Amino acid sequence: MAEPAAGAKSGKVVIQNIGLLLSGDLDHPILDADTVVVHDGLITAVGRYKDCDTEGAQTVIDARQTCVAPGLIDSHVHPVFGDWTPRQNQIGWIDSTMNGGVTTMVSAGEVHLPGRPKDIVGLKALAITAQRSFDNFRPGGVKVIAGAPVIEKGMTEQDFKDLADAGVTLLGEVGLGSVKAGYEAQQMVAWARQHGIQSTIHTGGPSIPGSGLIDKDVVLEADADVIGHINGGHTSLPWKHVCELCEKSSRAIELVHNGNEKIAIQAARAAMELKCPHRVILGTDGPAGSGVQPLGMLRMIALISSFANIPAELVFCFATGNTARIRNLNCGLIEVGRAADFVFMDRAQHTAGKTLLESVELGDIPGIGMVMIDGLVRCGRSRNTPPATEIPVVLSGAH
């Protein structure tokens, strides 16, 4: 098992000799900078080496002209407890995903818990327990934002206030419980929003036996903050209905790995054409029946960039800054004050692409040379990606 959260501080960290710095910000996806300075887990400077205060660093990392990007944020996961998933009976899936560049995960409901309680007292207790446990324990260092109750019939506004008061900030996928009608969901989503709890709605056909169809009319009426897996999880709505959701709603458009890939590509193109790329966020929807995909986020980035013909630096924003802003997270962007969560990447060895971005646009995933969370090195060369052409080197202060 990985070490618990809390404890170690990064001190001052200097990352120098960066070849490509991706910001996570759609408006300025590539930064004119080669150095990032961190103090105790937060970014304190971004710029040219000569302009940054680099003295007295406890850790110095030579990026060796590789790419540094914000750590990827998986907007849609289904954790249970610790680094174990009963859906596939796997241990270590979160740490493995960190080796795929993911530094933050957002729960869409702890729905795979065997015997998951569906009574109101029980579902609240489970959500609070999940929120507390992942706040105290970070597998592989990954920040898992968990405790996402699946709403059930009979819940009142007081229940949402109780959850919020206890520290719960998310709802699990609306539609996975007994609340499936648009008008019922709309009321509970509004109560949740009033108490600072963000909501996601299931979109498309049933994911597993026992769940049900959530069609475009229910999604529009419920008006949840995130249109969860708009490309289905796994089965998509018809394209014309997905298109209607993109056009008629202003909410986040979530594209997931465990969904219909053709619809994901079409929805990404539609968001570009509708001039609302800031609404697009990415997730895996794992663990699921199709398994756990440690490289699911990288695969989504390569898939969308290559097939939807969207520049890779913009698609990386879908997986970082867009999600951070929509999910109200202090990560996902390379800017002063944000969490020092980074993925160091280079083009995979022997890719046809001449640069990292070109290789992704050709459909290849990059190689990861290092992952940092809160300024601490969590892994070196990834055990899961193809080998990066070049990898960063820790010059001093190796952990």
Side-chain angles (χ1 to χ4, degrees):
M1 299 295 279
E3 68 194 57
K9 293 278 189 185
S10 72
K12 185 172 183 177
V13 181
V14 173
I15 304 166
Q16 61 192 43
N17 196 20
I18 299 168
L20 172 67
L21 188 56
L22 299 181
S23 69
D25 182 356
L26 274 174
D27 295 329
H28 305 284
I30 297 175
L31 295 174
D32 180 19
D34 61 11
T35 302
V36 175
V37 181
V38 173
H39 187 74
D40 284 348
L42 296 177
I43 299 169
T44 56
V46 181
R48 290 286 164 188
Y49 185 81
K50 62 182 174 58
D51 300 322
C52 294
D53 173 12
T54 58
E55 294 298 314
Q58 277 132 292
T59 305
V60 177
I61 295 172
D62 180 356
R64 300 285 289 270
Q65 286 294 297
T66 60
C67 170
V68 175
L72 307 180
I73 305 169
D74 188 337
S75 175
H76 193 123
V77 295
H78 291 293
V80 176
F81 289 122
D83 207 350
W84 166 67
T85 168
R87 175 60 59 190
Q88 295 299 339
N89 197 25
Q90 268 185 270
I91 292 174
W93 69 277
I94 297 174
D95 181 77
S96 212
T97 302
M98 181 270 293
N99 272 262
V102 173
T103 56
T104 299
M105 295 177 164
V106 182
S107 175
E110 295 75 36
V111 295
H112 298 157
L113 179 75
R116 172 172 64 88
K118 298 179 182 178
D119 64 289
I120 294 170
V121 171
L123 74 86
K124 287 161 63 177
L126 173 60
I128 294 165
T129 301
Q131 184 275 326
R132 294 283 196 281
S133 67
F134 281 108
D135 199 40
N136 292 329
F137 182 77
R138 286 169 34 182
V142 176
K143 300 166 182 174
V144 183
I145 317 301
V150 175
I151 58 175
E152 301 284 355
K153 287 178 181 288
M155 292 182 74
T156 66
E157 183 181 355
Q158 184 63 43
D159 293 315
F160 294 92
K161 183 179 187 305
D162 292 345
L163 286 162
D165 289 346
V168 170
T169 60
L170 301 167
L171 289 189
E173 283 179 70
V174 175
L176 293 186
S178 56
V179 176
K180 298 187 190 298
Y183 72 92
E184 284 182 302
Q186 182 187 52
Q187 176 64 81
M188 293 192 186
V189 162
W191 283 334
R193 190 175 289 133
Q194 187 178 326
H195 291 285
I197 297 174
Q198 190 179 66
S199 55
T200 297
I201 191 164
H202 179 94
T203 310
S207 54
I208 55 174
S211 59
L213 167 71
I214 300 296
D215 64 23
K216 54 104 175 169
D217 293 325
V218 173
V219 174
L220 288 171
E221 187 173 5
D223 193 33
D225 298 300
V226 176
I227 304 173
H229 50 60
I230 200 171
N231 60 318
H234 304 271
T235 309
S236 174
L237 297 174
W239 166 241
K240 64 180 181 180
H241 293 179
V242 173
C243 197
E244 195 174 326
L245 290 176
C246 292
E247 291 173 350
K248 288 189 175 179
S249 173
S250 62
R251 302 300 183 181
I253 298 168
E254 185 184 73
L255 310 176
V256 301
H257 184 277
N258 288 339
N260 181 313
E261 291 159 318
K262 182 177 182 179
I263 295 296
I265 293 159
Q266 288 178 301
R269 281 185 186 141
M272 298 301 285
E273 289 164 9
L274 292 166
K275 297 191 175 4
C276 60
H278 59 281
R279 290 171 57 197
V280 181
I281 60 177
L282 305 183
T284 58
D285 195 9
S290 63
V292 177
Q293 301 82 22
L295 306 183
M297 290 294 290
L298 290 177
R299 288 170 59 84
M300 282 297 289
I301 290 165
L303 174 84
I304 292 167
S305 181
S306 59
F307 278 93
N309 295 314
I310 301 173
E313 63 268 27
L314 298 185
V315 184
F316 272 104
C317 296
F318 297 168
T320 56
N322 276 13
T323 312
R325 284 173 170 152
I326 285 166
R327 296 289 194 180
N328 302 311
L329 302 172
N330 189 39
C331 55
L333 293 157
I334 305 287
E335 62 182 29
V336 172
R338 294 272 174 173
D341 300 344
F342 309 123
V343 55
F344 296 69
M345 302 176 289
D346 198 10
R347 62 195 189 107
Q349 290 178 14
H350 305 295
T351 175
K354 292 182 175 59
T355 66
L356 167 72
L357 296 178
E358 184 183 325
S359 72
V360 172
E361 288 161 4
L362 290 174
D364 285 331
I365 62 172
I368 289 175
M370 183 181 287
V371 175
M372 295 185 81
I373 302 177
D374 290 333
L376 298 171
V377 176
R378 304 306 308 209
C379 75
R381 191 192 285 275
S382 170
R383 67 174 186 259
N384 291 330
T385 64
T389 301
E390 183 60 84
I391 62 171
V393 174
V394 181
L395 299 179
S396 63
H399 293 287

